[in-house]
Amino acid sequence: MLRVLRNRRTRGYVIQAAVLAASLLLTLSFVLTARDNLVSQGIATGFGFLDRSTGWPINFSIIEATDRSPYSRMLLAGFLNTILVGLAGLACATCVGLAVGLMRVSSNLILNVLGTVFVETFRNVPLILQVIFWYAILTHMPSPRAAIDLAGLGFLSNRGLMLAAPAWSALDLAIIALSIIAALFAAHRFGGTRPLAPWGLALAGIVALSVMLLFLGHEPEMPLISQPELRGLRFVGGVTIKPEFSALLIAIMAFGGAYIGEVVRGGFLSVDKGRLEAARALGLSNAQINRFIRIPLAIRAMLPALTNQYVWLMKATTLGIAIGYPDYFMVVSTSINQSGQTMELLLLLMVGFLLINYTISGTMNWINGRLAIKGRS
């Protein structure tokens, strides 16, 4: 019997090795064929083009990127733009999905109907159509001279949303970082056993130490907050959120929120009613039942589906190319047209999204493992 099992295991290893070798040979043949075709057409291979100047600008970037920037910096700018809109979209979609999911399981008829209408509306409209719809609305806002005043918080026009922004120096940021670290350390060291004491100490410490910004690193004529001001046909100062970014963010938030709302609803409905009845029989209040039983069990049921939704929504950021948002996909596409380095840029594109999505899935799987109910040994 043992000999039969060993023979079967050996044959299995041989088959796996043969399949792996065939796959490697097939991949190698594809690479060599592509290389020969590129050489025959006079197209240079390699990543040396990353040091060349692009010659074309992008309209939005977290880091400085101009038409004189090399391809490496332009690709980094697109990569950071994708991470920015992706993480912001995931955070907003999660908040919307949580609210919609709670509305869907609510016993209040009005909230239930509103949640159902939201889900059925945004889930059944293609995401690219929603992106174009919101972009059309945002670009048809008034001109900068007739911009909508948002009660002193900023202005809204067809150029985007202009908001006040901190005018902090590197010294200011260092002080804020040190104040946060010191406050959290004090809260952990002297917080005591009361639940709210550490958070109260941390908040008070952060506020108190950050007030030092008023006295360090700033002169009286240098404001701490940069306000947007209309000069000619455009606004200067503050920070401008472009319509392309806003449209893509709103579309991901609404579309993803509809799907996440269904995940949240399914998570709450999956909780065993027997456990809830047992908690009530033990005299627990509704708040205690939600905190210790319903929410923890629902989160455990939600995480696998949420991981899938997060990865999908991150990949959906590539639809920004339809409205001119300079994400990683758009920058790579433009670089291919300008440089002709198709294979190298496609490889960088795949590696970038693999890095992002494996980070998301790995983080969610780690959280899932931490929250999983451990079996008895």
Side-chain angles (χ1 to χ4, degrees):
M1 185 67 180
L2 292 175
R3 183 177 299 176
V4 173
L5 292 176
R6 289 175 181 173
N7 291 336
R8 289 180 179 176
R9 185 177 300 176
T10 302
R11 285 198 298 269
Y13 289 153
V14 171
I15 293 174
Q16 294 177 18
V19 172
L20 179 60
S23 301
L24 292 176
L25 289 175
L26 186 62
T27 303
L28 182 61
S29 65
F30 285 155
V31 171
L32 294 177
T33 301
R35 181 178 177 277
D36 292 339
N37 291 335
L38 291 175
V39 171
S40 63
Q41 296 177 11
I43 300 176
T45 58
F47 294 94
F49 72 97
L50 293 175
D51 296 328
R52 299 204 309 261
S53 176
T54 56
W56 44 271
I58 56 177
N59 59 8
F60 175 79
S61 176
I62 302 176
I63 61 175
E64 183 180 359
T66 64
D67 54 355
R68 296 183 178 181
S69 299
Y71 280 97
S72 58
R73 188 169 186 83
M74 197 66 72
L75 291 172
L76 177 60
F79 185 74
L80 294 177
N81 287 346
T82 292
I83 293 178
L84 175 64
V85 72
L87 294 182
L90 293 184
C92 295
T94 301
C95 295
V96 171
L98 179 61
V100 171
L102 293 175
M103 292 168 65
R104 293 272 281 158
V105 298
S106 173
S107 57
N108 188 300
L109 179 61
I110 297 178
L111 293 179
N112 196 296
V113 170
L114 289 176
T116 302
V117 170
F118 182 91
V119 170
E120 296 301 327
T121 300
F122 290 100
R123 190 178 61 171
N124 294 303
V125 177
L127 180 56
I128 189 171
L129 182 58
Q130 296 187 41
V131 172
I132 296 174
F133 171 77
W134 292 114
Y135 182 67
I137 290 179
L138 293 174
T139 52
H140 283 78
M141 289 290 176
S143 63
R145 290 187 174 180
I148 302 173
D149 190 352
L150 303 177
L153 299 177
F155 299 90
L156 179 63
S157 72
N158 56 8
R159 300 284 182 88
L161 178 62
M162 283 66 68
L163 299 173
W168 294 341
S169 64
L171 177 60
D172 301 330
L173 296 176
I175 293 174
I176 292 177
L178 291 175
S179 66
I180 292 174
I181 294 173
L184 292 178
F185 175 78
H188 178 74
R189 181 68 177 82
F190 307 107
T193 58
R194 291 174 297 175
L196 297 180
W199 296 105
L201 279 175
L203 180 60
I206 291 171
V207 172
L209 293 176
S210 296
V211 170
M212 296 173 63
L213 287 174
L214 297 174
F215 307 100
L216 295 176
H218 279 275
E219 298 178 2
E221 64 273 8
M222 295 177 60
L224 288 172
I225 302 297
S226 174
Q227 296 285 350
E229 298 179 0
L230 180 63
R231 294 183 182 176
L233 298 177
R234 64 189 182 92
F235 281 90
V236 296
V239 61
T240 300
I241 303 177
K242 296 290 186 180
E244 295 83 4
F245 177 86
S246 301
L248 185 59
L249 177 62
I250 295 173
I252 291 176
M253 178 179 65
F255 187 79
Y259 276 93
I260 292 176
E262 289 297 277
V263 173
V264 172
R265 182 175 74 94
F268 279 105
L269 293 179
S270 68
V271 178
D272 186 11
K273 293 183 179 180
R275 297 188 179 187
L276 302 179
E277 294 174 357
R280 293 189 185 96
L282 291 174
L284 297 180
S285 64
N286 289 331
Q288 291 174 325
I289 292 174
N290 287 330
R291 178 181 177 185
F292 297 111
I293 298 175
R294 177 176 288 161
I295 293 179
L297 292 177
I299 290 177
R300 291 187 180 99
M302 296 175 199
L303 282 178
L306 278 179
T307 302
N308 183 50
Q309 288 299 320
Y310 286 167
V311 171
W312 191 93
L313 289 175
M314 182 59 73
K315 291 186 291 186
T317 58
T318 55
L319 294 178
I321 194 174
I323 56 174
Y325 178 71
D327 68 325
Y328 193 43
F329 180 66
M330 179 180 177
V331 172
V332 169
S333 300
T334 307
S335 300
I336 290 175
N337 293 332
Q338 297 293 327
S339 66
Q341 307 293 145
T342 306
M343 301 297 295
E344 295 84 352
L345 287 166
L346 288 179
L347 178 61
L348 292 175
L349 179 64
M350 291 188 292
V351 169
F353 274 102
L354 283 174
L355 178 62
I356 295 174
N357 290 327
Y358 269 113
T359 301
I360 294 174
S361 60
T363 303
M364 295 296 291
N365 289 334
W366 177 80
I367 296 174
N368 191 24
R370 296 281 293 181
L371 296 179
I373 299 176
K374 304 296 189 296
R376 294 182 179 179
S377 56

